[in-house]
């Protein structure tokens, strides 16, 4: 695919100041059980897209993109990607690839495309690139080493122009556009923050800091948003920066397939509901991951939440009544 390069939006770069958590009392509800759909038929269904008639499209850890039928509790493999991991699922009226890993943006190759949001009104796609240094199969290194290698890429579907909206993120992950398509919400996973970008004024604002790693963010049926929180962590994302040898050892063990990011994370599930200004009004969790585990995305549909997980050992999609 040919790539045209242009910068058509004012760049914004975050400063290097450390950010402390602003802890507040958050009323949380423990969920003890859920309906575990497609048990044993899926593995790591990270992102969920409802396509109508009770059917969901989801990408698996092994590269499969599957159609999940809630009514019939059946699954069907649509296709399988090679050496990749299907992540953010969206509906968009475009069949050909928009942009791929390996394409150049500002003369820098894309390494790790993560999630994207689509604006029909603006004919724009906004994409999180999790890292310029580590790929999708190097998640452990991304957690261990941190670094401001992430950026937000923009694609104009009319002109095919590609640019960089913002950069120097520490693992930008989920991204969502508002119902009126006037602003974006972006989860910066390894800084535990949600940012708001006003598409009219081109102003970035940090609206929330959480005691958790943040994965995808999706709109609810109203004007709020569901945020997947991977695990509780009260330490700064660079908590291993003083332990160079420890980081190097963990990285080596990961490359030797002795450990993985999944083997060192605790079994736990949590997610929150926020308004457009980042205020939390609902919080749900499952100790030991009994009801839902390692949640990566929430889909709200017909009075239920469906929880996806990036973790391959989670072999179901959790259905929670709300």
């Amino acid at each position: 695919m040919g790539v045209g390069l242009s910068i058509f939006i004012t760049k914004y770069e975050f400063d290097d100041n450390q950010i402390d958590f602003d802890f507040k009392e958050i009323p949380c509800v423990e969920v003890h059980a859920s309906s575990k759909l497609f048990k044993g038929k899926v593995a790591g269904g990270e992102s969920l897209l409802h396509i109508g008639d009770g059917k969901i499209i989801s990408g698996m850890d092994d590269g499969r993109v599957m159609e999940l039928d809630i009514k019939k509790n059946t699954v069907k493999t649509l296709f399988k990607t090679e050496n990749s991991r299907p992540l953010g699922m969206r509906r968009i009226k475009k069949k050909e690839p928009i942009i791929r890993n390996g394409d150049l943006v500002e003369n820098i190759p894309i390494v790790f495309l993560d999630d994207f949001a689509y604006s029909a009104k603006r004919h724009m796609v906004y994409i999180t690139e999790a890292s310029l240094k580590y790929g999708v199969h190097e998640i452990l290194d991304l957690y261990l080493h941190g670094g401001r290698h992430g950026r937000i890429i923009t694609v104009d579907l009319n002109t095919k122009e590609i640019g960089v909206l913002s950069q120097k993120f520490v693992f930008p992950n989920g991204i969502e556009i508002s119902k009126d398509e006037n602003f974006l919400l972006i989860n910066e996973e390894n800084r535990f923050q949600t940012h708001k970008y006003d598409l009219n004024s081109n102003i970035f604002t940090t609206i929330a800091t959480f005691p958790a790693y943040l994965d995808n963010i999706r709109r609810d049926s109203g004007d709020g948003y569901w945020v997947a929180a991977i695990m509780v962590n009260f330490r700064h994302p660079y908590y291993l920066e003083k332990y160079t040898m420890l980081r190097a050892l963990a990285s080596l063990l990961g490359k030797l397939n002795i450990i993985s990011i999944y083997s060192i994370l605790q079994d736990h599930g949590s997610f929150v509901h926020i308004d457009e200004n980042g205020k939390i009004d609902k919080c749900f969790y499952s100790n030991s991951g009994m009801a839902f585990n390692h949640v990566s995305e929430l889909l709200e549909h017909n009075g239920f939440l469906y929880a996806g997980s990036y973790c391959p050992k989670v072999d179901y999609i959790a259905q929670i009544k709300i």
Side-chain angles (χ1 to χ4, degrees):
M1 165 182 174
V3 177
L5 302 178
S6 70
I7 303 301
F8 50 89
I9 299 180
T10 304
K11 289 186 185 178
Y12 179 90
E13 296 183 359
F14 293 102
D15 61 36
D16 290 325
N17 294 328
Q18 293 189 353
I19 296 180
D20 296 322
F21 291 130
D22 180 17
F23 291 110
K24 297 179 180 178
E25 283 296 319
I26 302 172
C28 286
V29 176
E30 182 174 4
V31 181
H32 297 282
S34 69
S35 297
K36 296 182 178 179
L37 307 183
F38 317 110
K39 177 70 175 175
K41 300 176 183 179
V42 300
E46 197 265 357
S47 183
L48 308 172
L49 172 66
H50 185 256
I51 60 171
D53 196 27
K55 295 179 180 178
I56 293 173
I57 302 293
S58 183
M60 302 296 126
D61 178 72
D62 63 3
R64 289 176 297 162
V65 174
M66 304 184 71
E67 180 183 281
L68 315 177
D69 192 317
I70 300 172
K71 296 178 180 178
K72 299 178 180 179
N73 196 33
T74 58
V75 304
K76 178 174 65 175
T77 298
L78 301 179
F79 61 90
K80 184 175 182 178
T81 60
E82 298 297 329
N83 301 315
S84 187
R85 171 74 155 92
L87 295 172
M89 298 283 164
R90 301 283 191 175
R91 185 188 295 272
I92 183 172
K93 294 180 180 179
K94 191 174 179 67
K95 294 183 179 180
E96 67 270 21
I98 298 171
I99 195 169
R100 300 170 177 169
N101 285 333
D103 286 344
L104 297 179
V105 178
E106 290 194 339
N107 296 317
I108 300 174
I110 294 171
V111 175
F112 185 173
L113 295 177
D114 196 323
D115 194 17
F116 77 99
Y118 168 59
S119 171
K121 180 171 70 175
R122 301 169 189 270
H123 304 286
M124 295 287 295
V125 174
Y126 305 92
I127 309 168
T128 54
E129 184 179 10
S131 175
L132 294 169
K133 187 174 182 179
Y134 303 108
V136 67
H137 299 300
E138 299 172 302
I139 292 291
L140 181 59
D141 281 319
L142 187 50
Y143 276 100
L144 289 172
H145 300 287
R148 298 175 182 275
H149 308 131
R151 54 184 177 172
I152 309 300
I153 295 170
T154 55
V155 182
D156 187 316
L157 297 181
N158 289 333
T159 66
K160 312 300 182 184
E161 291 180 317
I162 299 175
V164 176
L165 178 69
S166 182
Q167 55 191 347
K168 291 191 176 181
F169 284 94
V170 185
F171 197 170
N173 198 325
I175 185 169
E176 181 61 290
I177 194 165
S178 61
K179 186 182 296 184
D180 60 11
E181 301 188 11
N182 285 329
F183 62 84
L184 298 168
L185 294 183
I186 303 161
N187 282 345
E188 188 175 11
E189 180 164 336
N190 282 15
R191 292 183 84 202
F192 319 111
Q193 294 185 321
T194 298
H195 308 288
K196 184 176 184 178
Y197 180 75
D198 190 304
L199 292 167
N200 297 314
S201 65
N202 298 335
I203 295 176
F204 257 106
T205 308
T206 300
I207 61 172
T209 301
F210 300 89
Y213 290 96
L214 305 178
D215 207 310
N216 286 347
I217 178 170
R218 291 295 185 264
R219 291 201 305 264
D220 65 7
S221 57
D223 296 315
Y225 301 83
W226 294 106
V227 178
I230 294 179
M231 60 179 177
V232 175
N233 193 317
F234 294 92
R235 295 168 290 184
H236 192 274
Y238 306 117
Y239 60 88
L240 283 179
E241 67 179 350
K242 297 180 181 178
Y243 306 103
T244 306
M245 293 301 295
L246 180 59
R247 284 206 319 271
L249 175 60
S251 179
L252 176 61
L253 292 176
K255 289 178 173 61
L256 295 174
N257 294 320
I258 296 174
I259 65 171
S260 72
I261 188 64
Y262 309 117
S263 63
I264 63 176
L265 297 184
Q266 61 181 348
D267 285 329
H268 179 84
S270 56
F271 56 88
V272 299
H273 184 268
I274 65 173
D275 65 16
E276 66 176 61
N277 297 310
K279 181 181 178 182
I280 300 175
D281 53 30
K282 299 174 185 175
C283 173
F284 301 89
Y285 70 96
S286 174
N287 274 335
S288 301
M290 295 300 293
F292 43 83
N293 200 8
H294 302 299
V295 178
S296 58
E297 184 173 307
L298 284 307
L299 165 67
E300 182 178 334
H301 177 65
N302 282 351
F304 289 94
L305 279 178
Y306 297 87
S309 174
Y310 59 90
C311 183
K313 72 178 182 180
V314 179
D315 61 350
Y316 58 87
I317 303 297
Q319 183 192 57
I320 306 130
K321 180 68 176 176
I322 56 173

